[in-house]
Amino acid sequence: MTLKPEPTAPFHSVQYALRVLETVSKHGTGVPDTQISRETGLPVGHLTSLLLMLRREGYVEQITDGAYVIGSSLLLLGSGAARRQALETRLQQSLAQLRDSVGAAVYISRYVDGEIRVTQYADGPRTPAVNEWVDFRSSAHASAVGKCLLAQLDQNSRRDHLSRHKTARLTSRTITNEKVLFSKLDSQPATVPVLDIQEYAVGTVCAAVPLTAGASAGCLALSLPIEDAHRLRTAADTLNRRAAPVLLSLAL
């Protein structure tokens, strides 16, 4: 599998956030934002929003003199199995917060060994998860999750996937023509959420944004019942803006 070299805005934010965390961790007694700016090369204006996000997520803390130190969330990560468990817990907390912010069920999906896998999700009584009436592994051409992941692959990897999972018509809106599908994927801007307007299931609308961490394609997605379709674009924009904390949890 080959990924297209097309990093997204959340990806850049996470790269910068990791640079900030590395700098803060080198100064055990605290470091002011002006010095963080000098050492990372980030303008103070851009750094301010990053530090706000890192404080909100508990990765850094501000002490009495205004300097920044490593926060409790990062200290709790530890190493080995404990680290993996702490990261999963932190990620689930981020998903739950995002679910409440967008008012929709949210999902993390990865493309692993040629297959689509939903690795974590957060739903609730008022934000039910989508009914997986067709296995997500077999419906990449129709779902927002699948299209978002396929858009991150090169042409050969896409063709390989569709040779194993045929483009069946799931609803009257499903794209089954490979040429048309690839054209839509290629014209999809990397920073714009991928939408599914009843292509996977009648009565459901979805949106997904890329979460590329390392050599693996991934995405963050949401689903809404059709009666809430009027909220889809606003919810998708919120999902896109708030993807960085989730991606940061995956990158740590």
Side-chain angles (χ1 to χ4, degrees), residues 172-215:
S172 63
R173 293 174 175 266
T174 305
I175 298 173
T176 57
N177 183 288
E178 182 178 301
K179 184 177 180 180
V180 173
L181 176 64
F182 282 16
S183 176
K184 282 189 170 292
L185 295 177
D186 288 334
S187 63
Q188 174 71 33
T191 55
V192 176
V194 177
L195 302 182
D196 158 17
I197 311 295
Q198 299 190 97
E199 295 174 53
Y200 169 76
V202 173
T204 301
V205 295
C206 305
V209 296
L211 282 182
T212 304

Side-chain angles (χ1 to χ4, degrees), residues 87-144:
L87 280 171
E88 286 184 10
T89 300
R90 187 75 193 94
L91 186 55
Q92 194 63 39
Q93 291 171 345
S94 295
L95 287 179
Q97 292 168 358
L98 190 57
R99 173 201 62 203
D100 296 340
S101 295
V102 300
V106 293
Y107 317 77
I108 289 178
S109 186
R110 308 295 290 273
Y111 195 76
V112 182
D113 297 329
E115 299 292 352
I116 291 171
R117 296 182 185 175
V118 175
T119 55
Q120 281 184 261
Y121 68 96
D123 63 350
R126 296 183 179 180
T127 53
V130 65
N131 175 32
E132 190 178 351
W133 78 285
V134 174
D135 193 317
F136 286 140
R137 292 175 297 179
S138 304
S139 56
H141 63 293
S143 68

Side-chain angles (χ1 to χ4, degrees), residues 40-53:
T40 60
L42 296 173
V44 174
H46 186 73
L47 183 61
T48 299
S49 60
L50 272 180
L51 286 170
L52 182 62
M53 184 268 284

